[in-house]
Each structure stands twice: as structure tokens, then as C-alpha cells.
Amino acid sequence: MEAKLFCWPESSPVIAGMLRALLLTSLLSWADGHEGQVMLPEEKTKIRDQIVEMFDHAYGSYMKYAYPADELMPLSCKGRVRGLEPNRGDIDDSLGKFSLTLIDTLDTLVVLNKLEEFEAAVRRTVRDVRLDNDVVVSVFETNIRVLGGLLGAHVMADMLRQQGEWMQWYTDELLHMAKELGHRLLPAFNTTSGLPYPRVNLRYGVLNPLSRTGTESDTCTACAGTMILEFAALSRLSGESVFEEHARKALDVLWEKRQRGSDLVGTVINIHNGDWVRRDSGVGAGIDSYYEYLMKAYILLGDNVYLERFNTHYSAIMKYISQPPLLLNVHMHNPTVSVRSWMDSLLAFFPGLQVLRGDLKPAIETHEMLYQVTKQHKFLPEAFTTEFRVHWGQHPLRPEFAESTYYLYKATGDPYYLRVGQSIVEKLNAHARVPCGFAAVQDVRTGTHEDRMDSFFLAEMFKYLYLLFSERNQLHFDIDDYIFTTEAHLLPVSLSTSQPRCQSNDTEDQFTYSCPSTQTLFPNNPSFAKTIRDSYKYLTGVGRAFHASPVRGIKLPLHDHSMEPVEFLRSMGISLTPLNEAALGSSGALHPSDGVYMVKLVAEVTQNSAEEEVVPLIVQLISPPFLGRTVLTAGPAKFGMDLTKQEHGVKGSIVKSSPYTACGHIENAEELGGHIALALRGDCMFAAKARRLQEAGAIGVIFIDNREGSNSAETPLFQMVGDGGSTADIAIPLVFLFSQEGALLTSALEDHQNVDVLMLPNEKRLGKMAEGIVVEKGLTPTHKPHSILFWL
């Protein structure tokens, strides 16, 4: 279809409106027809070849620019080595100096028929990778990415060796490495409950004084419940039962700790006493793969206990969480109450899991909703509201939507899902491809990139896309003989010690004990899926009236012994204000029998009206050798001192806060007194940081963005706002610098030790030069930032 530029006549608004409507109708009709049309084998082959070329670009860039580092930094064209790059918090817990991306990608090479590259990569892994590094890593991420990667690659190597052409030299080296890693993860399970610590030191374990970990008390449900596939496979391949026993014990604890009234689990649990720390329940971040592993453990291991537990949870999910096409978060103790008005992108795996269970209708409904969101925003935002607006704009190239698309196509045979897959391929090439690989999207609204290409992009995205456009006879093995882990590593179902029993479909519940891939459950009829999809075709706005409201009411259960839901929502960036008792009516009544009462709260949204603009501030370096020539664009705060009313701004020397995030006791208060503090964004609220630093004696605070690569030239400025309570006690000035501007400031401090700055509005800057001269530091005369509010 040829693209044309249409110019509407300004003098004929009625005619222009009619033409717009006619064109829109034509485009929608064309798009619907295009998405539903049959895809010829030649076109599938062309797209499959394109996927292989994209993989070669991503994997080749990692090997050329990054290996043996854990990850590729695709904008910098270099490897990310932990400790050498700015710390990104929990994200860096995946990096263990064990060539993460290489190991995570090994079995993808076999799926894509790159057997020569696979053999070379296995040799490189055996030769180069060490697993005894003195580094603290996430137990969960190391299990699914590294242990799973080693096991999946071992299974593929063993299969190829038996076929007789490739890997004839291989003598289970990857399995030996997997066993070593398994033993290095086992110390994490040394708790009274059996739930694992969230982090472990690869060399020193957890309790060793040199481990630098072991003080944690909490872990997420998915973190504790996503071990059974890899650990059981390791036990059954190595003959050492200890791994499966520990993983099963953790699942037993989570099952026992479920809320018996709702059969739901919370998001965060105390690893020592098993108490729930966060009681919100959903199928997205924090819980997702716990449910996935119960179902897949039944498929892989043939143990009905896992299926029975999954079915119990699944019934609760469909009763309380699933509101087709939405999947909402509820309170596990009072599941009729939704605790937030947004969804996170990790729940995109759930339609694929529903396909495995044979429950196609809700899978199709939720998948279609997700597809409509991707059409609106190009990619799934990291979080989006129930009205399909962006809540968090990041997209780190997550594969879950492609995963569910693959499962639905295999279940229905509907070419519509091939067109969905084609759109994923096209958007990745158009909006994420860079010269050195593929870069995560920092904000889907602006299209800006982040210097990040996670290993799961190679491990999962290309695997699911390639399989979507492949025929069974184009693979070196039968894909139905394997189960995908949550990281898409392949484990053979032959590991089962017993066969799951398959009952006929005339039972009371045809899904309860059915094998997940039987043709009787899947109509394989494209019209079946289309009928369900049609009612969600214009879900995100076209053809359906959705009216955004600047104020949203949320009912929340508040336990009289815990304000956890309120604190949780505040940590997510929602300011909460209780309404008066008169407005509550009967919904505010106390229920002493269960210790829960209902309070209606108002959540302030994160976007102001378009008319209100952020007034840019600056940080001007005035001490030698800068002498006012370096000017950094800064964002303001809606609390603290108003710098626009200060004639000469605020001047002071800068000092880094310790801790840098200012989220705990300020250790260098004496050094900070009378100076301007530098603090890193993240881990707690801006207001909480400001209070601590003000109490420590700081005369101002410069917050620096923790999102690597962000800058004021590409990202709209925002206003920092308070935590929902009064901020009248905060009197010092506060400004915000994006990452690149912040790096200039911290570099100056490292080079010159004593750096004086001015914090003030741009128009009042010292020695103001002609407009347009100072642009290299992020300040441009035409910069008109949007008004966006942030709490964290």
C-alpha cells in the first residue's frame, strides 16, 4: 500500500472531517483484511529469513563488541561489565561475570539451525566461563537464565551428539557446569522456612562474612516459586536429588501460605517466617512464573500434585483477577477489591499459559487487548492503565507478547497471529534496531532508546518468532518433545517419571486432567478466534468511548495491623488522599470480624493538563575551570523552595550523599552540612530523600536519574511531586538532572573535588550568553517540556 500525504483544506472543516472518517474507515478495513488474510509459504519463509538476519545482527554484535561481558550495550557498542558501569540497582543482579548473554542464547542457536555456531559457542563456554566469581547475583535470574541456559544447551548438545553429525567431542561438560552452579545456588535455601534468599554470592554463598548478602528478609513469590523446572531437571540429569527436593520444598511453603479463603498468593513474602509482606495478587510482576511453573512442572515431571495446585489457583484467578480482557491486581484477603488501576507488561505471558491449559477464549481476549495496546504505542509499555494509557513508558524488548502469540497460533491455526508476529518483527526493526544490535526503548511515547539489550531478548524473542514462522520439518528435533522454561530454554518431557493421565472430554471439567496439547481441546479453526476477537477490535479507543478522568477512585482494604497496600501504591507513584467519612457512606463501615474496613481513596494521576508547562531550571558550574560556561538543564519540584522566586538562585559546593540514593541513614551528614547534596533517583520517594538530606544539613539537593542514557534533549522534563502527605516541612531547593547531564556533574566532581554550582531558572543564569550558544549540555532555546509528574 503506497503511503500518501493528505492535506486537509482549512476552509472546509466539515468536508475535511468527512474525508478523515472515510480514510480512517478505509484504512481500518484494509488493516483488518490484511491481518486476517492467509500467509503464503513464500511470505512465511521471507519473514523467517528476516528473523534470522535480525538474530545474526543482535548475536553478532554481542560477540563482536561485548563478549565475554554479560551484556551488550548497543548504543555504546561495548560490553556491560558489572562494577565498571554505573550501578542500575536490582537490574544488575543478573550480571555475574559469567558471559550471561552467551549462555542464555545457546539453545536458541540450535532452534535457528545454526549448528556450527552452536558447537563453537559451547566450546567457548566450556573454555572461558567461570562460575566461582566473587559477585552477588539474583538467585531467580541466575536460575532461569544461566542454569536453565546450561541445561537447555546440554540437552541440545546431547541430542545432536546422538544424531551423529555434530558435537561428537561433547562429554557432558555443560551438565557438569550446571551441577557446579546448582551447588553454588543451594546456600540460598538455608532458611528456616525453606524459601530461598533472593541473592547469593557465587563464591561465598549467603552466611559467609565475605558474602556481602544474607541480610535480606523478603523475596517475591515468583523468585521463590520459579526453581522447580531447572532444579528438577538438574536432579534427574545428574542423579543428585537435593536440587529438586529444595525447589519442591519452596513450592510447598508457598502453597501452604496461600490465602485459604481466596486461594490466592501475595507478591512478596518473608523468607524466614512465611508472612506476606505485600498482599496484592495478580498474574504479572512478582507472581507470574510461580503459576507458570506449577503448570509446567506437571507437564515436565508428570506429578498430579502440581496440576491440582495450579487448577486451584487458576480457578481463583478466573474468579477474581480475570475481568476479560483485563487482568487486574486484587487484595489476596479481600479479592473483590482491585488495588490498582494499571497492568504491567509481564502479564503478557498469561494467554500462552491459558493455551497450555486449553482455556482458549480468555487467552484470545487478553491477547487481543495486548495487541491493541501495541498498535497504539508500538510496543507494550512496562505498565499501562485500564484505559490503555501509558503508566510506565519503558519497553526493555520483553518477549512475553511474542510468546503468547506463538502459542495462540499453534492452538488455532489462525493466520491472524502470523500477522501479529509480522508486526512485532517490523516494529523491532523500525524502532529498536541500532547499528550495534537492538536497544531497549526508554519511553514508548518518545521512542528514545536505552543502552540496554537484555539476554532474554536473544534467549526468548527470536526463539518464539522463529518457531511462529517455521514448520515442524524445518527443525532438527520435534518441538513437542520439549517444554519451555520461563526463559524459553528447552527441557525434554522424557524427564517425567510417570505419564500424566488424559481423560476424555465428557468429564465434568474437561480441562482438569487433560494433556495440554491434545487436538480435541483446540478447534484449529480461525473463525473461532476471530469471533472472540471482534468484540475487542477497537478496545483502545476507535469505535468505543473511553473518557479519561483526572481523578480516579479506588477502594482499598486496610488491615488494622498493616498499611501495606497504601505504602505499596505510594511506592508505585500514586498519591493517596482519604475522603471524609460522610462521602464514604456504608462502604466505610468497619468489619471487626475480619479486621478489614473499606476506605475510598483518590489517586492523583501522573499527567497534568497540556496547558501547564514545566519551567526549566539549570545547574550552572561556576568554580574554576568552568566559570559558568557549563550549564545543565534541570527539572523542578512542586515542593521545597521555589527557585523562580529567588533573585540570585542558590549557590553551594556539591557533595555526594552516602548512601547515594539517600534512602537510609545519611552517613556523611557532617560533610553535607552547608553544601548541595547529590542523590541518585530510585529506591524511595523524592520527598523522603529530601527530608533526610535537609535534616543532614544540606542547603539543596540535585537528584540524578538512575536510568542510564536519559538526557534532556530527548526526554521531556518532569516535575517532582511529594508523597501524598504534606511537604510543607521541606524548605530547601530541589532540582532533577537526567543521567547524561548528571554524569557531567559527577565527572566534574571526581576531576576537581571542589565544584561550586548555582541552582536557578535559566533566564537568571550567571553571565547569560546569547540564545543558542549553550546547547551541548542539554539546554536548547526551543526546548518546551511537557508537564509530567513523578514521585520516585
Side-chain angles (χ1 to χ4, degrees):
M1 182 177 180
E2 185 180 356
K4 296 183 183 295
L5 180 64
F6 290 86
C7 298
W8 309 113
E10 293 182 7
S11 59
S12 306
V14 176
I15 296 175
M18 294 174 63
L19 288 172
R20 288 191 189 97
L22 181 61
L23 177 62
L24 180 60
T25 303
S26 301
L27 287 173
L28 289 173
S29 300
W30 174 86
D32 289 344
H34 179 69
E35 287 177 340
Q37 72 186 29
V38 173
M39 184 176 287
L40 297 175
E42 306 82 61
E43 189 176 3
K44 287 182 67 174
T45 299
K46 182 179 178 181
I47 297 173
R48 187 172 64 250
D49 291 344
Q50 185 179 15
I51 293 165
V52 173
E53 185 278 329
M54 293 165 64
F55 172 83
D56 288 341
H57 178 61
Y59 179 68
S61 295
Y62 166 74
M63 295 306 298
K64 179 178 180 180
Y65 300 110
Y67 183 81
D70 284 313
E71 287 180 355
L72 168 68
M73 299 172 67
L75 301 182
S76 304
C77 296
K78 65 178 183 179
R80 183 183 299 281
V81 179
R82 191 167 176 179
L84 298 184
E85 302 296 332
N87 185 281
R88 301 177 299 169
D90 291 349
I91 298 175
D92 284 344
D93 286 349
S94 302
L95 312 180
K97 299 182 179 179
F98 37 32
S99 300
L100 171 67
T101 298
L102 176 67
I103 293 177
D104 217 0
T105 308
L106 288 174
D107 58 2
T108 305
L109 291 165
V110 180
V111 172
L112 271 60
N113 294 314
K114 294 183 171 295
L115 303 187
E116 185 175 348
E117 290 94 331
F118 173 72
E119 185 153 353
V122 172
R123 288 185 184 275
R124 189 175 286 112
T125 300
V126 173
R127 182 191 68 210
D128 297 344
V129 174
R130 292 180 61 91
L131 301 169
D132 63 346
N133 303 309
D134 179 13
V135 60
V136 176
V137 297
S138 162
V139 174
F140 166 75
E141 297 288 358
T142 304
N143 174 64
I144 65 172
R145 299 202 205 188
V146 185
L147 182 57
L150 291 170
L151 291 172
H154 163 70
V155 168
M156 293 291 100
D158 188 52
M159 178 266 295
L160 292 172
R161 177 178 58 186
Q162 292 182 36
Q163 290 180 357
E165 183 178 355
W166 299 92
M167 304 298 296
Q168 295 307 296
W169 58 272
Y170 181 69
T171 53
D172 297 345
E173 287 86 350
L174 295 176
L175 179 58
H176 297 316
M177 293 178 69
K179 187 163 65 171
E180 177 191 347
L181 181 59
H183 281 291
R184 294 188 180 280
L185 294 178
L186 278 181
F189 289 85
N190 188 19
T191 61
T192 54
S193 69
L195 297 170
Y197 281 95
R199 298 177 184 85
V200 68
N201 186 300
L202 291 174
R203 181 177 296 175
Y204 297 113
V206 171
L207 301 180
N208 189 302
L210 299 176
S211 68
R212 304 188 306 282
T213 188
T215 59
E216 302 92 347
S217 59
D218 306 331
T219 194
C220 72
T221 302
C223 301
T226 310
M227 307 291 292
I228 188 65
L229 293 189
E230 292 84 1
F231 268 41
L234 179 58
S235 283
R236 299 188 183 202
L237 290 168
S238 69
E240 296 187 22
S241 62
V242 62
F243 306 109
E244 185 172 351
E245 290 168 358
H246 278 83
R248 178 160 189 148
K249 174 66 183 304
L251 283 178
D252 289 344
V253 175
L254 292 174
W255 173 250
E256 289 300 317
K257 294 297 181 178
R258 76 190 187 282
Q259 211 290 321
R260 300 303 176 94
S262 66
D263 285 321
L264 295 173
V265 292
T267 307
V268 178
I269 192 169
N270 185 289
I271 60 176
H272 301 297
N273 59 27
D275 288 344
W276 290 106
V277 179
R278 285 189 176 173
R279 299 171 180 84
D280 53 305
S281 187
V283 297
I287 301 180
D288 48 1
S289 48
Y290 163 64
Y291 294 134
E292 178 185 3
Y293 269 38
L294 284 176
M295 179 64 169
K296 290 182 175 179
Y298 162 67
I299 299 170
L300 182 69
L301 308 175
D303 189 336
N304 282 342
V305 168
Y306 296 119
L307 181 62
E308 290 165 0
R309 292 180 182 179
F310 172 80
N311 279 328
T312 299
H313 285 313
Y314 187 75
S315 295
I317 291 168
M318 299 310 291
K319 182 177 181 180
Y320 300 117
I321 292 171
S322 177
Q323 298 183 26
L326 308 180
L327 291 165
L328 302 178
N329 271 43
V330 301
H331 196 285
M332 61 183 290
H333 294 295
N334 193 356
T336 60
V337 175
S338 296
V339 297
R340 69 187 192 196
S341 59
W342 50 269
M343 297 169 280
D344 65 78
S345 64
L346 285 172
L347 61 75
F349 90 100
F350 198 69
L353 187 62
Q354 291 179 305
V355 170
L356 277 182
R357 191 182 185 273
D359 203 357
L360 279 185
K361 184 176 184 293
I364 292 168
E365 291 171 329
T366 297
H367 179 274
E368 183 61 19
M369 176 270 292
L370 295 169
Y371 184 39
Q372 296 300 325
V373 174
T374 65
K375 288 202 290 188
Q376 183 177 4
H377 300 296
K378 298 185 180 67
F379 299 103
L380 270 185
E382 194 74 333
F384 52 95
T385 71
T386 53
E387 293 175 351
F388 313 112
R389 291 178 288 108
V390 173
H391 184 71
W392 295 328
Q394 303 94 329
H395 175 73
L397 306 181
R398 292 202 186 277
E400 286 79 12
F401 179 64
E403 174 185 359
S404 288
T405 302
Y406 164 72
Y407 277 112
L408 275 166
Y409 176 66
K410 294 304 179 184
T412 65
D414 190 340
Y416 178 87
Y417 295 110
L418 294 177
R419 297 298 175 187
V420 175
Q422 181 182 14
S423 76
I424 297 172
V425 172
E426 291 171 349
K427 286 169 182 172
L428 286 172
N429 267 325
H431 305 293
R433 186 167 183 144
V434 294
C436 295
F438 290 81
V441 179
Q442 189 175 78
D443 193 322
V444 297
R445 291 163 293 196
T446 63
T448 52
H449 288 137
E450 188 175 354
D451 204 2
R452 173 181 178 185
M453 188 179 84
D454 288 87
S455 67
F456 53 66
F457 182 60
L458 289 164
E460 299 184 67
M461 181 70 81
F462 290 109
K463 202 172 288 172
Y464 288 122
L465 289 176
Y466 184 85
L467 289 171
L468 177 62
F469 292 95
S470 299
E471 306 300 332
R472 294 168 65 95
N473 60 8
Q474 293 171 327
L475 302 175
H476 277 274
F477 55 93
D478 187 346
I479 194 68
D480 286 343
D481 290 337
Y482 298 85
I483 189 73
F484 288 110
T485 68
T486 196
E487 192 75 5
H489 294 304
L490 295 163
L491 298 177
V493 294
S494 59
L495 291 175
S496 174
T497 55
S498 62
Q499 295 299 316
R501 58 192 181 96
C502 300
Q503 295 186 353
S504 63
N505 286 338
D506 56 2
T507 57
E508 182 177 349
D509 179 357
Q510 67 179 29
F511 301 129
T512 301
Y513 286 104
S514 297
C515 295
S517 293
T518 52
Q519 193 62 35
T520 54
L521 292 181
F522 297 152
N524 202 18
N525 177 2
S527 63
F528 171 78
K530 183 179 185 302
T531 302
I532 299 171
R533 282 196 309 266
D534 279 350
S535 60
Y536 299 101
K537 188 180 299 182
Y538 307 128
L539 191 65
T540 59
V542 180
R544 178 170 176 172
F546 266 103
H547 302 288
S549 171
V551 178
R552 181 186 315 283
I554 299 177
K555 289 186 177 180
L556 252 171
L558 301 179
H559 284 260
D560 48 2
H561 298 299
S562 172
M563 290 291 286
E564 174 274 327
V566 177
E567 299 305 321
F568 171 68
L569 286 173
R570 282 183 177 176
S571 74
M572 293 298 101
I574 299 176
S575 176
L576 301 171
T577 306
L579 298 182
N580 59 50
E581 291 184 6
L584 291 174
S586 60
S587 65
L590 183 66
H591 301 284
S593 60
D594 57 9
V596 177
Y597 55 95
M598 303 300 298
V599 177
K600 192 171 184 180
L601 303 158
V602 175
E604 184 180 354
V605 299
T606 60
Q607 187 104 19
N608 270 8
S609 62
E611 289 75 16
E612 183 182 352
E613 288 190 354
V614 177
V615 177
L617 303 175
I618 61 167
V619 174
Q620 187 171 17
L621 282 64
I622 58 175
S623 55
F626 308 102
L627 301 177
R629 290 188 293 269
T630 299
V631 180
L632 309 175
T633 302
K638 297 198 78 172
F639 59 102
M641 181 188 293
D642 185 352
L643 285 170
T644 64
K645 297 179 180 178
Q646 305 300 312
E647 184 176 357
H648 302 295
V650 172
K651 174 186 174 182
S653 299
I654 56 174
V655 175
K656 265 190 177 182
S657 169
S658 179
Y660 195 18
T661 59
C663 287
H665 171 69
I666 303 301
E667 299 169 358
N668 62 335
E670 185 174 339
E671 186 181 359
L672 279 173
H675 295 86
I676 295 174
L678 298 185
L680 188 67
R681 177 186 186 181
D683 293 350
C684 64
M685 313 288 278
F686 286 126
K689 298 172 188 281
R691 285 190 181 93
R692 291 191 185 95
L693 294 169
Q694 178 175 275
E695 291 171 3
I699 61 172
V701 182
I702 300 172
F703 295 109
I704 296 177
D705 197 359
N706 59 352
R707 297 174 303 148
E708 187 176 336
S710 64
N711 61 81
S712 61
E714 297 178 340
T715 310
L717 285 181
F718 61 78
Q719 299 181 80
M720 299 176 287
V721 300
D723 54 6
S726 172
T727 53
D729 58 316
I730 301 175
I732 58 176
L734 315 165
V735 301
F736 180 89
L737 293 178
F738 287 111
S739 172
Q740 289 186 10
E741 286 84 358
L744 291 171
L745 191 60
T746 55
S747 177
L749 184 60
E750 291 171 3
D751 293 342
H752 303 283
Q753 284 76 50
N754 185 38
V755 177
D756 293 336
V757 301
L758 270 173
M759 302 162 59
L760 71 171
N762 176 37
E763 64 272 11
K764 296 181 180 179
R765 71 178 186 262
L766 186 67
K768 186 174 180 182
M769 296 168 280
E771 289 293 339
I773 292 180
V774 184
V775 296
E776 71 276 13
K777 305 306 182 186
L779 187 66
T780 62
T782 58
H783 188 77
K784 291 187 177 180
H786 303 289
S787 180
I788 301 174
L789 308 181
F790 279 86
W791 285 255
L792 297 170

